[in-house]
Amino acid sequence: MSRTNISRKKPNSANARSHACNSTKRQQKVNLQVVRDENGNKFRISAQEKKTLLKSEKKAA
């Protein structure tokens, strides 16, 4: 039962701003969630993809 990343999303780069208006580069990382499939395998997808997946499963049922 290994965890594999399925999502191909990459972190966004943005500026962190201080009160003195100094800017430094920072990363906005992807919100990865662990999900299991029917066979019990774990994999990691983004929260947005998980929401879409659950929505389509609910619609099909």
Side-chain angles (χ1 to χ4, degrees):
M1 286 213 250
S2 64
R3 290 185 188 169
T4 58
N5 287 351
I6 292 183
S7 181
R8 293 184 179 172
K9 292 187 170 216
K10 302 284 182 190
N12 290 332
S13 61
N15 285 325
R17 292 283 179 175
S18 66
H19 290 291
C21 232
N22 299 331
S23 65
T24 56
K25 287 289 186 183
R26 67 176 297 265
Q27 282 190 336
Q28 295 174 339
K29 297 185 180 177
V30 179
N31 184 7
L32 292 177
Q33 305 278 322
V34 177
V35 178
R36 289 180 184 259
D37 63 356
E38 306 86 40
N39 300 330
N41 298 328
K42 292 182 185 178
F43 56 93
R44 293 169 54 156
I45 59 175
S46 68
Q48 185 177 7
E49 293 170 337
K50 179 180 175 184
K51 181 179 175 183
T52 305
L53 183 68
L54 293 174
K55 198 174 196 181
S56 64
E57 287 177 357
K58 187 176 180 182
K59 195 177 217 183

